[in-house]
Amino acid sequence: MPLRPPRVTEIRGKRVLVRVDFNVPLKTVKTRSGQEVQRVADDQRLRNSLETLNFLQENEVKIILISHLGRPEGKVHPQESLYPVAQYLQRKMGLNCQFAEDCVGEKAKQAITKLQNGEILLLENLRFHPGEESNDPHFAAELAKFADVYINEAFSASHRTHASIVGVSQLLPSFAGFALSFEVKMLRTLLEKTEHPFVVVMGGAKIDDKVATLKNLARLADMVLIGGGLANSFLKAGGIETHRSFIGENPEKTLALARSILQAHKTERSVLPLKEKVGNQTHTTELPFPKIVLPIDVLAAKNKTIDQKKDLQTISLLHDAKDRPDDIDLQYFDLGPQSTQLYCYILRQAKTIFWNGPMGVFENPLFAQGSKKIARCIADRGKHRAITICGGGETGELVNTLGLRDRFSHVSTAGGAALEFLGGSELPGISALEKNT
Ligand code: ADP
Ligand code: MG
């Protein structure tokens, strides 16, 4: 069954339990009286659930929100209380939100009894109870008994077989939140309804987390452009000198994986049009490209904290090692200008693009050019009706700082869950909804 948000008739006047992902970063601040308190440092995840919350409020629903925060591992850990989130929803987002100091038991029950239609109650951190992560059926039943309907609005936690994600969904009529539905729709577009050419751009540093995704997407895509720390592994696996560049936490394993991916696609080619103007006429020929494309030049330095352009070197990787500097202390930190141009040329032919992971150590402005240009190039494809999706913590941060968020078809904030989904895994939370809807 397709998963979908509830219709008005399915929720009006009811008690609705909404699993959200309010696992937001907190910061400690000092109040005027000198007391140290926790405050929400970034509200992106809260805003993700707004469409669902507004819909429920408009329809006179008693809204009971459940979430995890951090990793308290089944014990009450006041530093990981959701109370600052309830305060934020009330004070900064103008929502009529109350808070209960426990997510099950008497305190929760009393707070729910007092709840009026259209009001919101946030229950304390689910992970203060061990039953959440162990998907304990009794804990799931305790949560389910507070409500008539369940909504999962936490795609980013849906790769976990936890009580609030799977257990509760087996006990109540269950629906998808608007953001979750959209996320699944967009990610499925990449996997199932892809318009070609489909180009994947992968970079970043968390290589081991991305291997399954990369393997699956490499199978589906026409071309895969590799950048960032990931590029170093692929370059080295392909026999190119990378000096002291970052290869991954476990270089031997990473290199073996990179080698196997290169090997698997060794014989595949994509052709891209090359337009040539001769006199008044434009001729188009087709150029063959390997499926997995690696940088042809890089920006290198002795360390990533340099702040002078003179400490930066552009290294061409087109020739064999003899032509390159033999400085063993060098590390590769960004795409070089030729690679950036090549990648943008390829991206301009794409109808579907998925991007995960920065192209360089963008935190240092000297190594941010590759990531910025690729981000702008992908955003521009939106004007040509290409589907453009990006995901990942740092990638999303980059897109936000460049003010490009609205120019992407979708910016996923779902991290590991999105990568698992794109890696071809069934997410337990999504399967549970599909069985139920
Ligand atoms: P995301 O969160 O978008 O999935 P990752 O967490 O995998 O991305 O990686 C982001 C990090 O990768 C950034 O902090 C960046 O500094 C680092 N990085 C990118 N390129 C390189 C490189 N060539 N060498 C070392 N680190 C890199
Ligand atoms: Mg990251």
Side-chain angles (χ1 to χ4, degrees), residues 273-286:
L274 177 74
K275 287 193 179 116
E276 207 183 3
K277 235 181 165 176
V278 182
N280 287 338
Q281 284 185 326
T282 307
H283 299 278
T284 307
T285 37
E286 292 195 313

Side-chain angles (χ1 to χ4, degrees), residues 204-206 210 228-229 232 246 332-333 356-358 360-361 363 392-395:
K206 282 198 187 158
K210 300 185 181 188
N232 300 334
F246 172 81
Y332 300 169
F333 289 127
N356 168 263
V361 180
E363 293 89 343
E394 271 81 14
T395 311

Side-chain angles (χ1 to χ4, degrees), residues 78-105:
Q79 288 302 98
E80 282 163 325
S81 168
L82 278 164
Y83 181 65
V85 176
Q87 276 186 317
Y88 191 93
L89 292 173
Q90 178 121 41
R91 292 182 189 164
K92 303 271 171 158
M93 294 175 76
L95 293 171
N96 185 0
C97 181
Q98 297 164 44
F99 182 72
E101 283 167 24
D102 199 352
C103 62
V104 288

